[in-house]
Every structure is written in structure tokens, then in C-alpha cells.
Amino acid sequence: MRRSLVIGNWKMNGTLASAQLLAKGIIAGLGSADADIAVCVPYIYLPAINELVKDTALGLGSQNIADKASGAYTGEISASMLKEFNTQYALVGHSERRSYYGDTNASVAARYVQAQEQGIIPVLCVGETLEQREQDQTFAVINEQLDAVINLAGIGSLSKAVIAYEPVWAIGTGKTATDEQAQEVHQYIRQYIAAKDQAIADKVQILYGGSAKPDNAKGLFAQPDIDGGLIGGASLEAESFLKIFQSVK
Ligand code: 13P
């Protein structure tokens, strides 16, 4: 049985004070659920939020990670720097990074490797645009996104990674994938991995992201291949994020 996991992606929102308040609110409502929970915060808030989440069940993550270990890469943040602030997860290949900042499948795979070299769990984000879905390209796009990582890091690396399926057309649009649409792709991803390594496929957590909210989370999380969620907007309020967390299997 896979453990459920819910991760909040705060994106570029808030202030230091609101971030601290949000983290405190989440911690206060955690209870003793048999599942994992984390927040991916803006880089600059990692030190402050690390102080708050220390010794609690709330995990900490970054929203990106450099594709190189160190050196003359102005503006980048390396895996070893993230590790200094107890970063457990790093999103890699979020669609906003891919579409606005030019992250390619190759650079996403390099970021994934950097994270794992420091013991940080990469959360590999995959998903198709609306146009790709309408042209029946969904599975082909996901194959390419997965292959870039598998070819560089090996199928075994997925035992220390998380996959997030985030259909681009569902992110921040209020248009959630139906339970069936999401399950179809999650099942596809698991089968694609199973064809290479059944044990890894059985183990890897695959999260759903894209307009997940308290009122649709339960149905999504009840699907056999959906192991939790990557939550954007609804993770910016402790109450709605906790409600989503409480909806896990
Ligand atoms: P929303 O939940 O705001 O649609 O964002 C999803 C997302 O991109 C999480 O990484």
C-alpha cells in the first residue's frame, strides 16, 4: 500500500509574515493523519519556514532546483544550498517553469539528478496542454517527459522520487480533470513504468494537480492510482489545504 502525500505549492505568493502564518496554521491543524504533507515555498522563505516546520510532521520543499551542482550560474539555487535548510522535496518541471522559463525535458532531468544527489526527493511534474490533449498527444507528451528522466537517471531512481500529473489546462483554471480523466492518465503512467519495472511502479507515488479543492479532492484521491495531490491555490489557506489533506485515503 502506497502512503498518501499532499504537497502545497505556494508559487510566488504572499509575504514573509503571511507565509509564517500559513505554515503555523497548517501545523496547528495537522492532527495525526497516516499520510505525508509538505509545502513548497518560495526559496527566500525556506530558512524562516524551516524554523517553523522543524520537529513537526509538515515537510518542506522548494519549487525548483538548479540543474548544476555549483559554479558560475548567477541567480540559481543549488541542491546543496537547499539541503542546508532541510528541504526534503523539490518540484522539477512544473508546467509554469516549462512554459514561462524555458525548462526543457533535458534540464528537468538534470534538476532531478541534482536533487537526488543531495537526498532531496524530486517531484517530477508532467502533463499535457489543452491543445496536446485535443490532438490525442497526452500519452506521447508524458512518455517524453518521463523518458528524459528515466534515460538519464535510470528507472530505479523513481524509488526516490514522486511524480505529479498536472494537466496544464487544469492548473489555476478552476477546470479540474474528472476523477476518470485523472485516473486514466495516472494508470497510464503507472503501466508505462511497470513495463520497465513492476516493483517501482507499485511503489511510486503519483499525485494529481490542477484545481484540486476541498470539494473534489475526495473523489480524486479515491482513484486507485492517485496517491495524493499537488495543490496550488487551495494550499494558500490553511483550512482548505488541511481539508484536502484530510481527504486522502
Ligand atoms: P492550482 O491548484 O492552483 O490549479 O495549481 C496546481 C499547481 O500548479 C500545483 O503545482
Side-chain angles (χ1 to χ4, degrees):
M1 188 61 190
R2 288 178 298 272
R3 224 175 137 75
S4 295
L5 170 64
V6 173
I7 301 179
N9 174 9
W10 291 356
K11 306 193 181 182
M12 195 177 72
N13 289 297
T15 61
L16 176 58
S18 72
Q20 288 170 316
L21 207 63
L22 178 52
K24 284 181 191 163
I26 296 166
I27 291 164
L30 277 182
S32 58
D34 192 19
D36 293 325
I37 182 166
V39 286
C40 289
V41 311
Y43 282 140
I44 198 164
Y45 298 154
L46 281 166
I49 304 301
N50 177 36
E51 289 302 318
L52 297 175
V53 304
K54 253 189 215 165
D55 307 320
T56 78
L58 182 60
L60 187 61
S62 62
Q63 299 172 13
N64 193 14
I65 188 166
D67 59 348
K68 308 277 194 320
S70 68
Y73 303 106
T74 302
E76 291 300 299
I77 308 278
S78 72
S80 60
M81 293 168 184
L82 294 174
K83 195 69 191 168
E84 287 184 275
F85 297 97
N86 300 318
T87 305
Q88 295 160 256
Y89 300 94
L91 304 185
V92 298
H94 191 281
S95 71
E96 288 149 18
R97 298 290 327 165
R98 293 178 189 265
S99 61
Y100 305 146
Y101 301 100
D103 290 11
T104 60
N105 279 333
S107 96
V108 170
R111 291 169 208 277
Y112 174 104
V113 167
Q114 287 301 322
Q116 287 194 331
E117 285 190 354
Q118 291 295 328
I120 294 172
I121 298 173
V123 180
L124 172 64
C125 304
V126 299
E128 80 289 0
T129 63
L130 184 58
E131 197 185 7
Q132 289 163 337
R133 173 164 280 259
E134 285 171 347
Q135 292 172 357
D136 281 331
Q137 292 293 307
T138 300
F139 296 150
V141 167
I142 287 171
N143 289 354
E144 278 179 26
Q145 292 170 334
L146 291 174
D147 281 346
V149 164
I150 294 168
N151 292 340
L152 186 68
I155 190 77
S157 73
L158 286 170
S159 68
K160 293 196 173 72
V162 171
I163 295 172
Y165 169 57
E166 298 206 302
V168 179
W169 48 271
I171 296 177
T173 58
K175 234 187 183 183
T176 325
T178 63
D179 298 346
E180 294 73 25
Q181 279 174 325
Q183 166 58 22
E184 181 190 27
V185 180
H186 280 239
Q187 184 179 36
Y188 173 79
I189 293 171
R190 203 175 301 285
Q191 285 171 349
Y192 189 76
I193 296 167
K196 301 174 196 291
D197 190 318
Q198 182 69 51
I200 299 275
D202 290 340
K203 188 175 172 218
V204 68
Q205 292 161 312
I206 310 178
L207 312 184
Y208 169 80
S211 297
K213 302 276 182 291
D215 61 359
N216 59 28
K218 218 180 184 95
L220 288 161
F221 297 166
Q223 302 304 309
D225 289 296
I226 301 184
D227 305 312
L230 180 55
I231 318 299
S235 74
L236 294 173
E237 276 179 19
E239 197 188 329
S240 58
F241 187 50
L242 287 166
K243 273 195 191 138
I244 293 173
F245 179 54
Q246 284 146 10
S247 308
V248 293
K249 292 194 251 296

